[in-house]
Amino acid sequence: MKKIRTGILTGTKDGTVTQREKEHAALARRAAAEGMVLLQNKNHFLPLSKNNPVALYGSGVYKTIKGGTGSGDVNERASVSIYEGMKQAGFPVSNEEWIKEYAGIYDNARMEWIKKIREGLQKHESTVDFFQFYCSHPFVIPVGNVPVKTSGETAVYVLSRVAGEGADRYARGGDYYLTKEEEEFLAAICNLYTHVILLINTGGVVDLSFLEKYENIESVLLISQPGMEGGNAVADVLSGAVNPSGKLTDTWAYQYEDYPSSATFSHNDGDVEKVLYGEDIYVGYRYFDTFRMPVRYGFGEGLSYTDFDIHAKEISVQASENNPVICVKVEIANTGKCAGREVVQIYVSSPAEKQDKPFRELAAFAKTKELQPGEKESLEICFEAEKLASYVEETGTWTLEAGTYVLWAGSSLAQAKVIGGYSLEQEVITEELTHICPVQQEYQEELDTARQELLKKLDRDELTARRQRAVQETQNSNCGVVSVDKDSWKTKSCVYRGSQMSEDEVAKQITENLTQEQLISMATGNIGKGQGGSLGAAGESVPGSAAETSDCAIKQGVAPITLADGPAGLRLMKFYDVEKETGKIAQKPFHFSLEGGVFYEDTGVQPGEERYYQYCTAIPVGTLLAQSFDTELVQEVGEMIGQELQEFRVTLWLAPGMNIHRNPLCGRNFEYYSEDPLLTGLMAAAMTRGVQSNAGVGTTIKHFACNSQEDNRMGCDSILSERALREIYLKGFEIAVKTAQPMSIMTSYNKVNGIHAANSFDLCTKAARDEWGFQGVIMTDWTTTENGPDCTAAGCMRAGNDLVMPGCQRDHENLRQELEKGMLSLDDLKACVSHSIHIILQSLAYEETQPYGKLMEK
Ligand code: BGC
């Protein structure tokens, strides 16, 4: 039996900054700068010289938004604001007076808001109700006093927005648009100063039509929500210490209405129950590019302070264990005047005679090292050809049509040029599957009509002509067309095994020896303890963690493990107190782990107690990390998070978030990576590899699946075709599972075609386990089963959703009753418990443990 570690208090008694904090802050800063995207830079206005005064305006100067709210927030020691970052970098700031006044205005407004939320705390007894109250009353950022001209010719304006789980954003002033006050403020600055730099400090897309009004907004830098080192990273980029190399992971349309889901998204049509994915597979650039809709800033765009030349040299087909791999050799030269990095993006136009397809899709990308002026680098960028297969619903197969696949390479979708292609003599079926998540009959017609309405906007003749032109261009392209041998393909056929015990013999054995009551306890979090805070802070041994698994089978060698949130770092309480004599942790209310603890009035350390500090690193939000287009960097960040998980004795990190940016108004987009599933999957895989290179810890990819709306997130129903589900919404999860085997998956709150994701056998067992080979544990999102009779704990077990989190007495009763009535089989319950135990046995809760990543390689 493996030896369980006991009695460890996490954190440090001495609250001073540790060496680990310093090192991790440095990486958070580097990551933040790497993911910032330079969108506009007239006449090479940036980088900015430190010799001239600069005025800093906008709320984000004093209070830079480091990330979103809710469970995705991190309680770091302190964050560096843009004001602090610029001052530390040595920029002469000319409007200190305004900033000081603003600080007062902001702090007062913040205090008022805190009071309101604290009142809510008293009114709402249940944590779930309070959480909803808090989510739907976001802090409104004040604008500040009218600016007056200060010395110097340049002003920076920071446009900040904050959002978070439980509520979607709104297409109105103060959110997607500027408020009237903000517009006036910006107009005043553009009037007072000769040059203006706009910094966009938001978690996602906002309206930028005001750019057309002001000629003197020279530069636009998307700083996103850059984590606790944001201010330093901004100064690094503005000063040129770091040359920006980030690229957009989303399309920034001219206007909100241009997004194909905008008319009906969330509250826009007054219906937050039914979420009809009428745009089908045409999400993000797949829509704009195919339908020829002009955009303000397109997918993959991002400028640099230098210039690059991308030259494609060769396309080749390489055999692999699976199916053929396409490789593109490119040479990138820095033709400008300063050092920098470039991202090469490869897109493919697939033949679309039999089934409609997007005009182009991202197939692969790579980032150069830092190239000095005049320096060149050769890269070989490869991808599996089957990744471009599309799902044919009639046959349930992933299929590649015969014809020419045109390859494009460039520094963005818009800049990409035809470089050649590869051809398939005949159609290839890469995989045969059975159907999952069928559309409910009552909605089929509505969904079809919505899709047809959208397709009416498509100029098919123009699209066909465009495809033909692209194919013709391959003739005169650098690399020409290589043919892929028709015999080099294998058709995979999935064997659906259904509910199965873990293949881990030890986990199986232990499970078989548990009593029925123990099995029931193991199917949920540790409800025996329960500090009354079920939402996001039910863990006790590591204060501020989200939950623990059951300790009911310690005697059989099953340790309780701890789970804590992400994705922007590790969300724990900043500190906690311990009774010196007994070693008992004095429990703090769950809201202490929200918003840096501002809703909690600290009365200091009580006599007989001592304080432990747990300062974790607040890294940039998911979207910013993905904007780096640098999987090595993301893996490095993952390694760092893994070290913090070890330090704080947390086994499962409830991250990364990897839902698709279906619409800019989703309240949690900042936590997720992109509108593109490939990029999403590769980022989540890199993060997972990083975290899981550390012993005993792992990731929880979430929210599985189709959680693209936050309003009514526990009740809404995502209605979509199987093709869109597989090609867009599951694809990223599939990539992450197949290539990185995360320890865990978290199901989402919403329904998918009428069935709660948490109770979906099709998602949990058929897709994740049988089709993709997932070997870890699947868990629910927090309190999923507490929202009505159509999603139950027993339903989770039947679906193969192994762990109901954090769990409550009602879940146990439900399991008992359904077992008794024969509605739930003991075998299904055991299968689930064995999956949990398999992961638990890999945990750092034991004295000896190894990296799960290594185990999975074997
Ligand atoms: C969120 C999850 C989070 C969980 C635990 C839920 O409200 O949706 O993303 O991991 O709480 O805090």
Side-chain angles (χ1 to χ4, degrees):
M1 206 192 287
K2 287 174 102 175
K3 195 144 185 261
I4 299 174
R5 283 173 199 258
T6 48
I8 303 163
L9 290 169
T10 56
T12 49
K13 281 199 226 173
D14 155 22
T16 54
V17 182
T18 63
Q19 185 58 24
R20 184 272 297 164
E21 279 182 79
K22 284 186 203 152
E23 283 165 17
H24 289 193
L27 178 53
R29 175 175 180 165
R30 177 151 61 84
E34 284 289 309
M36 291 182 182
V37 187
L38 182 63
L39 293 171
Q40 178 173 305
N41 199 22
K42 291 184 192 162
N43 305 316
H44 299 283
F45 185 73
L46 289 177
L48 208 55
S49 153
K50 290 182 190 167
N51 295 332
N52 305 318
V54 56
L56 306 174
Y57 292 106
S59 59
V61 166
Y62 168 66
K63 187 76 184 126
T64 311
I65 307 293
K66 71 166 200 298
T69 57
S71 62
D73 196 5
V74 170
N75 303 309
E76 79 287 1
R77 179 190 289 272
S79 261
V80 182
S81 70
I82 292 175
Y83 170 64
E84 289 161 340
M86 293 293 276
K87 288 284 277 187
Q88 272 164 41
F91 280 100
V93 176
S94 67
N95 64 332
E96 301 262 0
E97 205 43 46
W98 184 89
I99 297 171
K100 220 160 99 203
E101 279 166 19
Y102 184 81
I105 296 169
Y106 180 96
D107 290 347
N108 283 340
R110 181 93 180 153
M111 214 44 237
E112 283 304 306
W113 176 74
I114 291 169
K115 259 199 241 155
K116 185 159 95 191
I117 302 295
R118 280 184 184 164
E119 278 163 25
L121 199 54
Q122 271 137 30
K123 278 194 222 128
H124 298 273
E125 276 180 13
S126 103
T127 52
V128 178
D129 283 353
F130 166 70
F131 198 68
Q132 196 46 48
F133 170 81
Y134 151 75
C135 290
S136 46
H137 290 82
F139 174 59
V140 180
I141 300 169
V143 176
N145 291 339
V146 178
V148 283
K149 173 80 171 64
T150 54
S151 62
E153 296 307 318
T154 304
V156 168
Y157 180 68
V158 188
L159 170 59
S160 298
R161 293 289 184 262
V162 68
E165 70 176 299
D168 285 315
R169 296 175 51 201
Y170 278 83
R172 65 183 178 207
D175 198 336
Y176 195 79
Y177 298 97
L178 297 185
T179 58
K180 205 167 150 279
E181 293 75 30
E182 283 174 323
E183 278 197 33
E184 285 165 5
F185 194 96
L186 182 62
I189 294 173
C190 291
N191 211 6
L192 293 172
Y193 296 85
T194 320
H195 310 288
V196 175
I197 298 164
L198 173 71
L199 302 183
I200 307 170
N201 176 208
T202 65
V205 181
V206 286
D207 179 65
L208 294 178
S209 51
F210 58 82
L211 288 177
E212 287 144 29
K213 279 199 224 159
Y214 306 107
E215 274 288 298
N216 60 337
I217 299 185
E218 317 284 0
S219 306
V220 179
L221 180 70
L222 173 63
I223 68 165
S224 301
Q225 293 174 335
M228 67 184 211
E229 284 290 314
N232 284 331
V234 165
D236 290 342
V237 174
L238 291 186
S239 68
V242 172
N243 186 349
S245 61
K247 306 280 176 180
L248 289 183
T249 63
D250 291 318
T251 305
W252 286 53
Y254 274 112
Q255 45 180 5
Y256 175 66
E257 291 70 26
D258 291 348
Y259 293 96
S261 54
S262 61
T264 58
F265 182 75
S266 186
H267 41 42
N268 286 349
D269 65 350
D271 176 1
V272 292
E273 302 285 328
K274 195 173 72 197
V275 192
L276 204 69
Y277 286 45
E279 74 286 2
D280 207 47
I281 55 163
Y282 296 105
V283 178
Y285 70 84
R286 283 171 170 72
Y287 169 72
F288 290 95
D289 191 40
T290 312
F291 285 67
R292 275 256 140 141
M293 281 288 284
V295 297
R296 186 177 300 281
Y297 299 118
F299 184 84
E301 259 182 73
L303 304 170
S304 165
Y305 296 151
T306 185
D307 299 306
F308 296 96
D309 186 35
I310 297 175
H311 186 69
K313 300 227 121 164
E314 191 192 348
I315 297 170
S316 61
V317 187
Q318 297 180 5
S320 88
E321 238 179 76
N322 284 318
N323 278 323
V325 170
I326 309 295
C327 288
V328 181
K329 276 199 188 122
V330 283
E331 191 179 78
I332 305 97
N334 181 347
T335 56
K337 295 199 179 74
C338 62
R341 303 180 70 193
E342 178 61 301
V343 176
V344 183
Q345 301 159 40
I346 308 286
Y347 297 90
V348 174
S349 295
S350 304
E353 302 260 309
K354 290 197 164 172
Q355 175 152 276
D356 282 336
K357 293 213 183 89
F359 180 54
R360 290 180 289 184
E361 291 176 277
L362 183 69
F365 58 88
K367 195 163 184 173
T368 66
K369 61 180 185 184
E370 178 151 274
L371 296 174
Q372 298 304 316
E375 196 183 356
K376 287 182 182 168
E377 184 178 355
S378 293
L379 292 173
E380 188 170 44
I381 309 174
C382 301
F383 62 93
E384 290 169 346
E386 66 180 30
K387 288 265 159 64
L388 271 301
S390 55
Y391 187 73
V392 181
E393 288 186 5
E394 292 72 35
T395 50
T397 53
W398 284 104
T399 307
L400 289 162
E401 281 189 31
T404 304
Y405 288 73
V406 180
L407 284 169
W408 306 65
S411 60
S412 69
L413 180 65
Q415 294 295 321
K417 302 253 167 5
V418 171
I419 55 162
Y422 55 97
S423 66
L424 257 60
E425 245 170 73
Q426 59 188 49
E427 181 180 281
V428 175
I429 291 177
T430 60
E431 197 171 7
E432 293 167 337
L433 302 172
T434 60
H435 295 295
I436 54 166
C437 307
V439 178
Q440 286 170 296
Q441 239 168 13
E442 54 184 306
Y443 294 125
Q444 188 67 62
E445 205 182 312
E446 211 178 324
L447 187 63
D448 289 343
T449 311
R451 275 191 296 191
Q452 278 149 17
E453 280 304 308
L454 182 93
L455 288 171
K456 273 190 204 154
K457 289 204 269 170
L458 183 64
D459 183 343
R460 285 181 181 277
D461 294 341
E462 186 278 332
L463 181 62
T464 311
R466 218 178 338 148
R467 278 192 211 280
Q468 282 165 355
R469 264 200 315 276
V471 172
Q472 271 159 19
E473 273 182 54
T474 58
Q475 308 303 327
N476 308 319
S477 62
N478 276 11
C479 308
V481 177
V482 294
S483 74
V484 185
D485 184 1
K486 66 178 183 343
D487 298 324
S488 53
W489 298 92
K490 278 182 242 134
T491 302
K492 285 172 249 171
S493 191
C494 178
V495 181
Y496 292 91
R497 299 178 339 137
S499 167
Q500 296 277 325
M501 292 279 264
S502 165
E503 280 166 27
D504 177 340
E505 285 302 325
V506 185
K508 237 200 259 184
Q509 268 303 317
I510 296 177
T511 309
E512 288 293 1
N513 291 329
L514 297 181
T515 64
Q516 182 167 313
E517 269 310 300
Q518 280 178 312
L519 291 168
I520 289 172
S521 294
M522 288 301 301
T524 72
N526 205 8
I527 68 169
K529 290 187 179 175
Q531 56 178 28
S534 56
L535 242 176
E540 290 198 343
S541 53
V542 183
S545 60
E548 272 149 38
T549 56
S550 174
D551 58 3
C552 71
I554 287 195
K555 286 205 180 102
Q556 283 83 359
V558 184
I561 62 167
T562 301
L563 300 78
D565 263 310
L570 198 51
R571 188 170 65 91
L572 299 178
M573 284 176 182
K574 279 187 187 180
F575 58 79
Y576 64 95
D577 302 321
V578 176
E579 263 177 34
K580 279 196 213 153
E581 228 163 79
T582 58
K584 212 170 143 245
I585 296 173
Q587 295 301 321
K588 299 215 185 303
F590 97 106
H591 56 261
F592 181 44
S593 63
L594 286 179
E595 295 270 350
V598 290
F599 308 135
Y600 172 76
E601 280 167 281
D602 181 30
T603 45
V605 191
Q606 302 303 303
E609 289 182 351
E610 56 188 343
R611 189 157 276 193
Y612 284 72
Y613 298 89
Q614 311 185 100
Y615 292 115
C616 300
T617 312
I619 59 172
V621 295
T623 309
L624 182 145
L625 291 177
Q627 283 165 190
S628 73
F629 272 73
D630 186 344
T631 48
E632 277 173 34
L633 173 75
V634 172
Q635 183 163 333
E636 205 180 326
V637 171
E639 278 165 32
M640 168 183 112
I641 297 291
Q643 286 163 19
E644 291 187 24
L645 287 165
Q646 286 187 329
E647 180 177 333
F648 294 103
R649 320 294 317 151
V650 175
T651 295
L652 287 177
W653 189 40
L654 304 176
M658 52 184 304
N659 293 88
I660 293 295
H661 292 168
R662 175 175 175 245
N663 185 283
L665 297 189
C666 170
R668 287 185 99 162
N669 275 354
F670 67 96
E671 294 188 48
Y672 310 142
Y673 295 122
S674 169
E675 64 188 20
D676 180 75
L678 176 85
L679 181 61
T680 297
L682 294 178
M683 288 296 156
M687 187 61 98
T688 297
R689 267 194 295 276
V691 170
Q692 296 185 175
S693 65
N694 295 280
V697 298
T699 58
T700 307
I701 54 175
K702 68 186 188 186
H703 307 88
F704 185 59
C706 302
N707 181 188
S708 54
Q709 168 180 317
E710 283 301 300
D711 278 22
N712 189 28
R713 62 180 170 162
M714 298 196 179
C716 66
D717 186 4
S718 297
I719 299 160
L720 75 170
S721 72
E722 188 184 359
R723 182 178 180 204
L725 176 69
R726 288 190 179 275
E727 285 189 21
I728 308 292
Y729 297 96
L730 296 187
K731 194 78 191 180
F733 288 99
E734 177 177 355
I735 294 170
V737 167
K738 283 184 172 168
T739 63
Q741 277 292 348
M743 271 188 172
S744 170
I745 296 178
M746 185 193 291
T747 53
S748 53
Y749 288 124
N750 55 285
K751 297 176 197 165
V752 177
N753 287 331
I755 299 192
H756 274 282
N759 277 186
S760 171
F761 180 79
D762 283 7
L763 288 177
C764 299
T765 300
K766 276 177 139 183
R769 290 197 193 279
D770 290 338
E771 294 179 5
W772 311 337
F774 178 65
Q775 295 183 40
V777 57
I778 305 183
M779 71 179 78
T780 68
D781 197 346
W782 268 229
T783 71
T784 300
T785 52
E786 292 179 31
N787 299 292
D790 52 350
C791 185
T792 61
C796 288
M797 299 302 115
R798 274 189 295 270
N801 192 348
D802 313 305
L803 191 54
V804 176
M805 274 302 181
C808 60
Q809 284 297 352
R810 224 167 345 133
D811 293 323
H812 286 195
E813 276 153 31
N814 169 257
L815 291 170
R816 251 176 240 129
Q817 274 173 13
E818 296 214 15
L819 279 170
E820 225 164 79
K821 290 186 188 151
M823 290 156 73
L824 171 66
S825 77
L826 200 59
D827 283 351
D828 279 356
L829 178 59
K830 281 185 183 168
C832 286
V833 171
S834 72
H835 299 145
S836 300
I837 294 181
H838 163 62
I839 291 302
I840 290 170
L841 292 176
Q842 306 309 318
S843 149
L844 48 63
Y846 297 92
E847 288 194 349
E848 261 175 56
T849 172
Q850 61 163 332
Y852 188 66
K854 278 228 173 77
L855 183 82
M856 285 297 108
E857 275 167 26
K858 285 177 195 160

